[in-house]
């Protein structure tokens, strides 16, 4: 049981952060364990609503979690993969969109509303928020003359942030499903990390937060004492060459780079498995995860 | 081929209607053939965008069409029915919501955007737009002591129109999926006609238009010459008693009654199978469908 | 009698034009037959009001028609002419101003109001709308050392469009009489075509429309099949040299040039003798008159 | 030559009046000698502009002066009179309108602009400012069964003050010609005193000032020492019965009554033959003319 | 050292309170030890700034502390007292005003600014914030025919809160010195508790907080376990009769009553000797002091 | 006794000045006799309120007058002086601040309010209006290696004019006490002339007026006929070299220079011993004092 003075201390510790982020926009990529564990889910919602109440404008971009696979399985639809990415034909894309927009997005919206927030769900089609183009994979090792495409897997061509600004201005928390729309009106599945990064840049957000299932970037993987609390843009190429940043961390770091180059002040790779890691990152002196800066 | 003078004549004929409806809100229940036939679909989109451009604020509420059944079938989910209404357990409701919000709604939004509109899709969860409660069926013939419930089939408890007003103010066309949210955060499937009527009342709309697959209310069913072009509220009980209004027409007429009693000026039962029936109803002297007024 | 589908077709055809001109300003020089024939008059008023209702901002600049001569005759005042322009002494100018501002302008204002518009008449003195300076004629053939002046015949020195913007903002249609005011407070009679062109430039209008009593510019005068539907600025000197553009068409074309060089997108020479030619030009695919573009 | 201290004294004396009338509307009926004498004209313009600069909103309604007769004479048009009012056929009305709107109004507008004001002329047709109806004269002495009409002589049916408010809001001084518009779009000549009174009431003005060619209301006509400086509404019927108020003063007093009953605080009958009588009335302790109050 | 989870817990605990008080006004009477002890002073400043940053509008009313006596002593000015209140002649009042407005107020303003707030000091003369009248003391025991006055000791006649609203709207924290101004322009010294209560009512504040040097109201004085955490208006007369509320607590409770009757939701008697007692009261579940409610 | 026509003449004479200064800011340094003589005091207040009412935004910066010495004397505090400036230790500064902010400022505020103005007093601490730094004196004659400091005597480091703009916008007259605040939160006494000049520059005022106890700058001191009515920046170095500008006039002229170089149009050295000298300077053709321009 905390004493009154300890309680007051925490609130006082939060003050400079509240001051610093007042009126700023923070884009949160919401995914991983934080999206499936009931307690973590609740904690993220609380963190987001708290941010809103102290004058920060949070924007949530969510991934799909295991729900997509679940429905594909039930429908008996099999997928092939290239470089770990699912080849997405039109029928698969329909399932992806239904799950992302009609299920996952709506659950987050509802949860925020149940906890005292005012949320509005958006897909990339609403107000043409996310204009997409087909993503082409250039091959790895030496197959220089082959370019793969993955059907309706897309990348961000352009963000039209007006609809986000419209709802934020009226006090709503926007919750964005990472479905883009092509010039032809077709739906495209886009990696939520990239969508979050692009939206953060388009909104000139102050922070991009990627909630992940790791603690951040390690010098020595698995050795908590070697966690980088801060990485500068200039150091990243070296870290990739050395293999310190590798595998699934590479695209996450790329999102951070793009966001920062687009005008976002800092990007954070946070451990979503810790309850209230967003809150701790934003409002306390507690060092959490890895921060990427210019 | 029309002459220039004929063309000008039509535009001139539209003038008093443009003037009359300038700045007014018109809620359109979009369903039936007009939602499945490609040409009719295109025509409705055009009509809606035209309305927007001449200063009217259209709001679309859509039904689900055959898509829900289609997905339920593919998933091998069977439904039981009471009084023609599907008993909707949680799993079924999930499917309903995914299809309505993640597929049908998004297709309409995308189609409007492709045709030059600026649309935003909303479900009843967005900004708590549609608060729902469980719908209870009182039995028909004499089974007075039995009340049926249908799981997550709901009715409108309250409309919070702020999110619609927010997006309309910025020039967007709102497209609403008829999924309500209960006090507990659960999703409820609600008949789209009723949602349209309740939203029309909440927005103090000028008109409610129900796009249906009939021409309107007939004195003698099947005899086009007996179509009522206008029915007053006071006449309706008599028409129901005489059996002139019966079957599936009864709930539609009830929506019209509720909307008008809630402050909407006129309600229209229009034949959605005729291309541009909305346009003709709103902008020409052409008599179309049945209009219900106080 | 048109079918419903034909009616809808016209309205649908108008949609892209409504969209295109939404919020744009269109300046119309109103004169010639369209100002004396009762039916044409009525058609112009309807066209202007329709434009206003679909979100376009029309501005009317009118000429004087035969009314000025009529009153001068009744007063027994004779005029001398130089290069076809009336030498205008102070007494004549008073008559001109009374007719333009106190009669013609007021009739147009009243006619628009009677037809459901909200019009406000303005002369160049109101809010110093049209600052004028004396116009000097350089002589034609070789009389190089003589410069004519015509008394109170003026040209536009500067447009102060604030008063037009003030009334447009509040939903009024401005109707402008082409009387300018000199630095000394004196009235000057200015050709309405030039006033229309200068106002179009000052307002950064999208279109300048000159309603005339010809169909447009012909390759071969009198041969309807040789009407130019589009002329580019660069072609005009050549067309004048060839004599294709000559006589009274020259000053009209000069107005178009000045407007376009001042930032107006397109200028149109339309046949005011055809009812609703403005409407047809703006809202249909119908090719009408000659359009001048950069 | 005034001393500095005397100058300062006057300005200081003006302070409470400036404070009192800040943001208030004052309607001035401008006519009589003040409209024909060059020096008085100049003085009125200066007074009006000064009012505007210290935060008062002056609105001018002008009469026609001798100009109307002058043009009618030149055109050889003769008029008959009933009860001293000119019978006005359509042709005469055209002349009246041209002179009032196209000459007198424009001269005042130009004079204000030349002196540093920003004026806009308005007739009763602009924005339907003055809706008129035909005026019927009930006969004087005992001819009870006869009612005279005077053609296009009208009275105020309704004032639509929006256009005045629109221009005042943007810093313009509105100058109104007393021409009304009938339901049929016809022009009506209305007594400028009545127009001023009706506009003052419609604008909920603070003051109505009638500039006349008398010093005010006298107990004994011609004896300056018997000038009433203040008359209350309740005293007026008695003063009329006693013959103290008689002749041309009666309609002026009626305007005052109507204005005050319509919500105007005070009405003033001022001697327009004294230069700056408006200024002295509004900004000094100097007693000038007769003030009518509730 | 607190764990991350404990830190997060406190912030989460604060959320409902942040939500509840968002946009609300809280008036704080600042006095006693909290104004003389350096650490407590710092804590109050931090609390106030934190409130401001999370969207609450704090308004500070301060007392004078020992500074007034100090200066009076140095000037060799002696005071007489009636019923414990200093008789305040004009010379004394000058000293009081100089200390309150020129020293105490400015120190608080400066301290808030040094800590990241934006404060503005106000006396009751600024914008006529506190209109005062002379306070008359009705005698205690039976001396019914004697009424005392205390010179320039006043009470609140009227609060003009516009200047507070003006600065709050622009993000400033108003700091008010309890000096009122009489109808004659004279300064009056008013008890800061009463000023705080009256300002709270005038602003329709949500809360009035009186920072005192006691823990609150006790059933048994000195027995911490008998502290009332909540007292209702209706109970107060009884508590006074029983002697539970007595002495210096009576005027404090009267301020609370007046504030609540004037529309303030709750009034609090808080122990200013505990650091951050305001913060704990507003943002935690911690029960602190005595709350008075309707 | 002035005639009506003379009165009107003065008001008319004021018109071009009212027009010229409408919406402009004028900063007045208020000090000297005008601050101690009751009649002059009253006259200055009237002048300032008149300015406000005719649309000018006056800002008053006041000095301390003899009040500071008076209180220091009563407290038995002695001061030493360097180059005529009082060495100000912390204890002295406290007295200075109490007198300036808690007495002199409040009297001016109250006097303006009593006369119909709406005034708000500000010190340099309010909204960090005047950021100060310690002032160092470079020695006169050859003592090049010695720099004096005077304790809490400061100079302007930066003006933050937001709080002035906030209150002006709402119709208040700001009255500023020349107390600055150091980076450390300490108070600094700053010469009021310099504060006035710096505030004038920060507000981009149109005029700076220094009310002094001399008539202006003389060619030959004491010979009224040699008063400079206008001095240009470029002439000043010469005038100082010649000894025409000398002694206490030098710092005043320096303030004028700084204000003008900071963007103020004109600076005036006015004789505050003449009642209404501000009024006469601003609103009449009367030549008063010396004007400094670029």
């Amino acid at each position: 049981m905390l004493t009154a003075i300890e309680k007051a201390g925490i609130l006082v510790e939060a003050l400079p952060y509240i001051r610093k982020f007042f009126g700023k926009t923070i884009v949160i990529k919401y995914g991983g364990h934080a999206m499936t564990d009931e307690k973590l889910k609740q904690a993220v919602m609380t963190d987001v609503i708290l941010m809103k109440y102290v004058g920060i404008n949070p924007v949530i971009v969510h991934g799909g979690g295991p729900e997509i696979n679940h429905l594909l399985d039930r429908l008996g639809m099999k997928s092939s993969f290239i470089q770990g990415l699912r080849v997405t034909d039109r029928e698969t894309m329909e399932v992806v969109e239904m799950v992302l927009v009609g299920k996952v997005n709506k659950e987050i919206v509802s949860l925020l509303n149940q906890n005292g927030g005012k949320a509005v769900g958006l897909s990339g089609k609403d107000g043409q928020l996310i204009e997409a183009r087909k993503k082409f994979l250039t091959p790895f090792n030496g197959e220089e003359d082959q370019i793969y495409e993955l059907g309706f897997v897309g990348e961000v061509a352009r963000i039209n942030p007006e609809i986000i600004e419209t709802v934020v201005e009226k006090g709503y928390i926007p919750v964005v499903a990472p479905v883009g729309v092509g010039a032809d009106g077709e739906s495209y599945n886009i990696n939520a990390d990239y969508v979050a990064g692009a939206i953060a840049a388009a909104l000139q957000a102050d922070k991009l937060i990627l909630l992940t299932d790791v603690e951040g970037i390690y010098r020595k993987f698995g050795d908590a004492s070697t966690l980088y609390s801060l990485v500068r843009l200039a150091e990243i190429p070296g870290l990739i060459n050395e293999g310190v940043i590798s595998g699934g961390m590479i695209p996450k770091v790329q999102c951070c780079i793009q966001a920062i180059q687009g005008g976002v002040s800092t990007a954070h790779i946070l451990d979503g498995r810790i309850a209230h890691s967003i809150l701790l990152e934003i409002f306390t002196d507690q060092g959490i995860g890895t921060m990427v800066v210019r």
Side-chain angles (χ1 to χ4, degrees), chain A:
Chain A
M1 183 64 188
L2 299 183
T3 62
I5 201 67
E6 283 170 332
K7 286 186 173 189
I10 302 306
L11 292 168
V12 168
E13 184 185 323
L15 178 57
Y17 301 102
I18 291 175
R19 191 183 302 157
K20 181 174 171 194
F21 296 120
F22 187 82
K24 299 285 172 58
T25 297
I26 296 183
V27 175
I28 300 157
K29 153 63 199 309
Y30 176 45
H33 267 81
M35 215 163 104
T36 50
D37 178 289
E38 280 308 312
K39 270 195 133 167
L40 293 174
K41 232 153 109 172
Q42 190 66 42
V44 171
M45 298 304 125
T46 307
D47 292 4
V48 167
I49 292 170
L50 188 72
M51 288 164 74
K52 190 75 181 179
Y53 268 99
V54 300
I56 300 171
N57 295 317
V59 175
I60 298 178
V61 178
H62 62 82
E67 309 269 4
I68 294 170
N69 289 334
H70 183 61
L71 186 58
L72 287 173
D73 282 354
R74 285 181 60 198
L75 289 165
M77 292 166 69
K78 296 249 155 66
S79 308
S80 62
F81 291 80
I82 296 177
Q83 289 180 25
L85 292 170
R86 186 198 312 272
V87 179
T88 305
D89 58 14
R90 178 169 285 111
E91 208 188 358
T92 304
M93 184 62 223
E94 265 189 19
V95 172
V96 167
E97 188 170 6
M98 281 195 296
V99 172
L100 283 173
V101 175
K103 186 162 195 317
V104 178
N105 184 276
K106 258 45 221 173
E107 279 171 8
I108 299 170
V109 166
S110 198
L111 212 47
L112 284 167
N113 287 345
Q114 290 297 311
N115 283 279
K118 276 172 62 189
V120 168
L122 297 170
S123 103
K125 290 180 173 169
D126 293 311
Q128 295 282 97
L129 172 57
I130 310 167
E131 292 183 16
R133 61 174 162 248
K134 203 180 271 289
K135 185 185 181 93
F136 293 98
L137 289 185
T138 46
F140 294 133
N141 31 317
E143 318 160 67
E144 282 181 24
D145 51 355
Q146 183 160 3
I147 288 176
Y148 300 101
E149 65 120 313
L150 303 154
F152 293 98
V153 172
E155 59 187 19
V156 174
R158 176 194 168 93
I159 299 291
N160 297 306
E162 294 78 17
I163 184 62
I164 291 184
E165 291 160 356
T166 293
V167 301
V168 164
E169 199 174 274
K170 293 285 183 176
Y172 295 98
I173 301 165
V175 180
V176 179
V179 175
V181 58
D184 47 0
E186 296 278 10
S187 307
Y188 284 89
N189 188 12
I190 312 182
N191 177 289
D193 289 334
Y194 284 104
V195 168
I199 286 180
L203 293 171
Q204 293 293 296
D206 197 66
K207 258 187 205 313
L208 167 67
I209 292 177
L210 301 178
L211 267 198
T212 65
D213 287 349
V214 296
E215 286 171 57
I217 303 173
Y218 289 102
R219 181 81 215 159
K220 242 193 231 160
F221 188 78
D223 177 352
S225 71
T226 67
L227 183 72
Y228 284 96
S229 60
L230 186 144
V231 169
R232 299 194 170 276
L233 281 202
E235 306 171 50
I236 292 175
L239 293 173
I240 291 175
N241 282 341
E242 297 176 55
V244 170
I245 298 172
S246 67
M249 187 55 81
I250 291 182
K252 291 195 182 293
V253 169
Q254 279 175 337
C255 291
C256 295
I257 295 172
Q258 288 176 12
I260 288 167
Q261 287 176 340
V264 177
S265 305
T266 61
H268 300 257
I269 295 167
L270 281 199
D271 189 346
R273 297 166 307 178
I274 298 173
H276 300 296
S277 53
I278 301 175
L279 212 59
L280 293 166
E281 166 54 38
I282 296 183
F283 294 117
T284 73
D285 303 332
Q286 201 80 21
I288 289 229
T290 298
M291 175 165 77
V292 183
V293 301
R294 185 163 282 276

